[in-house]
Amino acid sequence: MSRDHVEGAAAPTTAHDADAPFLELLARGAAAEAYDRPVLLARAEGGSGERIAALEHAKGVALRVRAELEGRRRREAELSALFETAHDLAGLRDVDAVLRAIVQRARSLLGTDVAYLSLNDPARGDTYMRVTEGSVAARFQQLRLGMGEGLGGLVAQTARPYVTDDYFQDERFRHTTAIDTGVRDEGLVAILGVPLTLGPNVIGVLFAADRRARVFEREQIALLGSFAALAAAAIDTANLLTETRSALAGLEHANEIIRDRSAVIERASDVHDRLAELVLRGGGVHDVAAAVSQVLDKTVEFSETAESGALEASRAEGHAVRHRDDWIAAVAAGEELFGALVLRGHPGLDPVDQRTLERAAMVTSLLLLARRSAAEAEQRVRGELLDDLLEARDRDPRLLRERAARLHADLDATHVVLAARLAAAPDADQEATARRRLWSAAFHLAATRQGLAAARDGGTVLLLPLESGDTATELARRTARHLGAAVHEAVTVGASAPVRDLTAGPHAVVAAYEEGRRCLDALGLLGRSGDGAAAEDFGFLGLLLAGDRDVRGFVDRTIGRVVAYDERRGTDLLRTLDAYFAAGMSPARTKDELHVHVNTVAQRLERVGRLLGEDWQSPARALEIQLALRLHRLAAPTADAGLR
């Protein structure tokens, strides 16, 4: 950007002018330091305090957007690297090549100077360097660590991640001359180590290290742990292939066994190819189960509720376990358990088929993680669009429609804004959990109904299209039932009146949301928690709750059938109702007011009852009818005068 251009942008007169230089910096991916330049130039030119404050505000917003974009790019890169590594693992041919790729990707994504992987040597009782990336010291590359010695030895012994921001000042692990000399030769200061585990056994350690002091964040520790899990799987797969080849070599004298073993290997290769294809095209968990079923010629199902004891044993051991006549392989990622792949009715499962089932369970966990990440991203996008509509800022209607179209939502359709809230939970922890479930259920409902959802004001707000023939009341009640069933708690829902052309007026969605919240509060005050309603359901109270004070709608709902009857038949039912209420609901006094026979009054009131319902003279209904009569007279004074 030229200096003249920046200087021109440093003296804004509007919020849009203040945003302009930072938008340009965002567009070209400028460094964070560059965002100070427009503010510094404005101060140097003697800009007003208002101008400088606007620039400072715009700079803060732009830096937050930049941080969010960088975070998303980083997460995309991490997920891409995990998928690439999983693909390498699915088509494993050279375990050293896969381990080198894992170490290289770990170093690149964590941005460290060095990354390396050590493996345990059970025969010698220590651990040794297997792969290094970025190392320059020969002595360091040849290190062997005894169990419990150095940070790596402590990780290998305890099976827990350890991190130090200053290796030589850290007294939590045992320092030895050989290890300290190797680390000093390499110049390392900050070191993070995570265990490579197969079931309960530690087979090695994956490290990331810097030559300067550094604090590793929780997300970086988790990412290195994911790479360590893939490295352990690569080693285990290589061991499996080695075992298979050894078995084939030892059984070459028996043609029948050779044929059987070859068929097993072909099935394993086939399932690996199929699983790799599923990963690449984004298949689901049931696709994985179907592919494994076909290759193994056995029934394999994904279950979220497998037998708990066998499921926990499988997760702890890292292998499929037998439960009666079935085999159960846990589908898990770290401490999170998604379910299990269950192979039905084959207690004598072939070892290779057992490993194939385990590999399929690992791929299933990766697919579930990827799908959840995608769903979380879509949740944020839907929530951000609804937030923009609710904040009533000046937005370009065309851009809003384009953003909605990418989410399969149509802002030109008639919508209803719904405010949803939970009944109070017994304690804060349960309430927070229930709110998360409510938000998840609301997002799923919005996504399936081509709507939007966002968390707001301690509850959830939804923007759902109103189908032809449907009403806001019916939609509110269905939504309350759906969300309540999803979160297993009472959910109350208040609905706005239908809103048309959401992008035409900047405050349309805001006003509708406020109306929905008023209905929500009214339901709570009336003791109707767990129900759904719109303003039209509250009788004359709806006039106070509705954002547009729909007097005509209230009159029509209350006495519209009587008005229409008089207009069609030329009768005097409205006048009779007026006189009846004025006479204290006494037919005798009413006939004097109207100068008709008392039987005529009775006949007219009977007709009114058939039009308005048998309960029209109950105190609540009578109050609403009298209010509607008065509003009708105020809205049509000329006609009313004619009646009198």
Side-chain angles (χ1 to χ4, degrees):
M1 184 189 301
S2 68
R3 177 180 178 84
D4 291 340
H5 187 86
V6 174
E7 289 175 351
T13 58
T14 67
H16 176 74
D17 294 332
D19 293 342
F22 300 104
L23 290 174
E24 189 168 340
L25 291 170
L26 285 170
R28 63 186 179 87
E33 295 79 5
Y35 289 74
D36 291 324
R37 192 175 305 155
V39 180
L40 295 175
L41 287 173
R43 287 178 174 155
E45 293 170 357
S48 68
E50 181 181 353
R51 290 164 54 194
I52 292 173
L55 282 170
E56 288 282 7
H57 175 74
K59 182 187 78 170
V61 173
L63 286 173
R64 289 196 298 274
V65 172
R66 179 181 180 275
E68 177 65 19
L69 290 174
E70 287 186 349
R72 291 187 182 185
R73 283 194 291 267
R74 184 175 64 252
R75 287 191 290 272
E76 289 172 359
E78 292 171 356
L79 188 58
S80 175
L82 287 173
F83 271 110
E84 289 172 4
T85 305
H87 180 252
D88 292 345
L89 177 57
L92 180 66
R93 295 296 179 269
D94 182 354
V95 67
D96 286 329
V98 175
L99 294 180
R100 280 195 298 272
I102 289 173
V103 173
Q104 290 168 357
R105 288 167 185 157
R107 179 193 177 200
S108 174
L109 286 176
L110 270 67
T112 56
D113 298 323
V114 182
Y116 49 103
L117 184 148
S118 67
L119 293 180
N120 293 356
D121 186 344
R124 296 182 54 172
D126 62 6
T127 181
Y128 64 97
M129 294 291 186
R130 175 68 179 269
V131 181
T132 63
E133 177 68 18
S135 171
V136 296
R139 189 179 332 199
F140 179 79
Q141 297 169 15
Q142 298 169 5
L143 272 178
R144 298 188 72 97
L145 294 75
M147 292 299 179
E149 295 179 354
L151 184 141
L154 185 60
V155 173
Q157 184 179 54
T158 63
R160 295 175 56 189
Y162 275 87
V163 61
T164 178
D165 56 0
D166 192 340
Y167 175 86
F168 291 101
Q169 299 300 319
D170 200 328
E171 299 298 330
R172 291 177 299 166
F173 42 84
R174 182 154 51 95
H175 291 264
T176 67
T177 302
I179 298 174
D180 287 359
T181 301
V183 173
R184 189 174 286 106
D185 286 352
E186 194 63 52
L188 300 181
V189 177
I191 303 175
L192 163 64
V194 297
L196 278 66
T197 59
L198 287 176
N201 302 317
V202 179
I203 64 170
V205 181
L206 180 61
F207 299 88
D210 259 337
R211 295 187 175 95
R212 63 188 186 283
R214 169 179 177 170
V215 176
F216 288 95
E217 299 176 356
R218 182 181 301 173
E219 292 80 6
Q220 294 173 321
I221 298 173
L223 176 61
L224 194 64
S226 298
F227 277 116
L230 292 173
I235 294 168
D236 190 36
T237 301
N239 292 338
L240 171 62
L241 293 176
T242 300
E243 292 170 7
T244 303
R245 294 189 186 104
S246 299
L248 289 173
L251 297 173
E252 282 182 347
H253 63 280
N255 290 333
E256 183 179 353
I257 297 178
I258 290 175
R259 284 195 299 270
D260 291 343
R261 193 54 48 184
S262 296
V264 168
I265 293 174
E266 288 176 6
R267 291 202 307 274
S269 177
D270 187 14
V271 77
H272 276 300
D273 291 342
R274 289 175 185 240
L275 294 179
E277 181 184 357
L278 285 173
V279 169
L280 292 174
R281 65 181 176 86
V285 293
H286 298 293
D287 295 325
V288 174
V292 178
S293 297
Q294 186 174 2
V295 171
L296 299 182
D297 194 24
K298 298 175 178 65
T299 301
V300 178
E301 302 170 348
F302 175 76
S303 172
E304 296 180 353
T305 57
E307 200 281 327
S308 58
L311 188 57
E312 288 296 333
S314 175
R315 179 170 68 167
E317 298 175 13
H319 293 291
V321 298
R322 179 180 166 184
H323 176 64
R324 297 176 182 169
D325 291 341
D326 300 336
W327 285 84
I328 295 176
V331 176
E335 295 300 319
E336 187 170 5
L337 186 61
F338 299 113
L341 286 183
V342 182
L343 189 148
R344 304 287 187 187
H346 284 274
L349 188 64
D350 184 280
V352 176
D353 287 351
Q354 179 184 341
R355 297 295 178 89
T356 298
L357 183 66
E358 293 164 1
R359 297 299 165 272
M362 184 189 70
V363 171
T364 301
S365 67
L366 289 174
L367 291 175
L368 288 172
L369 285 173
R371 181 164 295 181
R372 184 173 65 183
S373 297
E376 289 173 351
E378 185 179 351
Q379 286 179 3
R380 287 193 296 272
V381 173
R382 286 183 182 272
E384 288 167 359
L385 176 55
L386 184 51
D387 283 338
D388 285 347
L389 290 169
L390 286 170
E391 289 172 6
R393 299 174 181 168
D394 293 332
R395 299 284 181 178
D396 185 340
R398 179 180 58 82
L399 294 179
L400 288 173
R401 290 189 183 95
E402 289 178 358
R403 289 170 60 189
R406 287 193 290 271
L407 298 170
H408 306 292
D410 180 9
L411 296 186
D412 292 324
T414 300
H415 285 73
V416 172
V417 178
L418 303 123
R421 189 167 58 208
L422 287 163
D427 57 60
D429 291 338
Q430 292 185 16
E431 183 176 6
T433 301
R435 283 185 179 179
R436 285 193 295 271
R437 291 201 306 268
L438 174 62
W439 159 230
S440 179
F443 164 75
H444 184 266
L445 177 62
T448 56
R449 287 286 312 276
Q450 288 77 52
L452 303 173
R456 207 170 187 88
D457 300 324
T460 301
V461 55
L462 299 96
L463 182 68
L464 298 180
L466 188 66
E467 297 178 355
S468 176
D470 204 359
T471 67
T473 297
E474 293 168 350
L475 181 58
R477 288 174 179 168
R478 284 199 309 272
T479 303
R481 289 194 300 269
H482 179 94
L483 296 180
V487 302
H488 307 294
E489 296 280 351
V491 177
T492 311
V493 177
S496 73
V499 183
R500 296 169 181 82
D501 196 4
L502 299 175
T503 59
H507 297 282
V509 181
V510 178
Y513 175 55
E514 292 301 325
E515 179 178 334
R517 286 192 62 195
R518 287 194 293 271
C519 291
L520 179 64
D521 293 338
L523 286 170
L525 292 173
L526 294 172
R528 292 174 57 185
S529 295
D531 198 0
E536 64 185 26
D537 302 310
F538 293 94
F540 71 90
L541 290 177
L543 294 175
L544 304 176
L545 300 174
D548 57 1
R549 302 295 189 267
D550 184 12
V551 173
R552 179 173 296 180
F554 170 73
V555 172
D556 185 62
R557 289 191 300 273
T558 307
I559 61 172
R561 298 184 67 182
V562 177
V563 173
Y565 189 88
D566 274 355
E567 290 175 351
R568 288 197 313 271
R569 304 291 182 89
T571 54
D572 284 338
L573 297 184
L574 282 177
R575 183 183 173 201
T576 301
L577 274 175
D578 263 334
Y580 180 64
F581 286 119
M585 301 176 69
S586 167
R589 290 198 293 271
T590 302
K591 60 99 175 172
D592 294 336
E593 174 69 19
L594 297 176
H595 306 292
V596 297
H597 195 275
V598 68
N599 289 341
T600 302
V601 173
Q603 291 170 0
R604 291 180 181 178
L605 294 179
E606 182 182 358
R607 173 63 62 183
V608 168
R610 286 198 294 269
L611 292 172
L612 298 183
E614 295 181 356
D615 66 337
W616 72 276
Q617 296 188 75
S618 65
R621 287 292 307 281
L623 177 61
E624 291 185 359
I625 292 169
Q626 291 178 73
L627 178 59
L629 288 168
R630 179 163 297 186
L631 291 173
H632 179 67
R633 288 199 305 272
L634 293 174
T638 302
D640 185 62
L643 288 174
R644 290 184 177 277

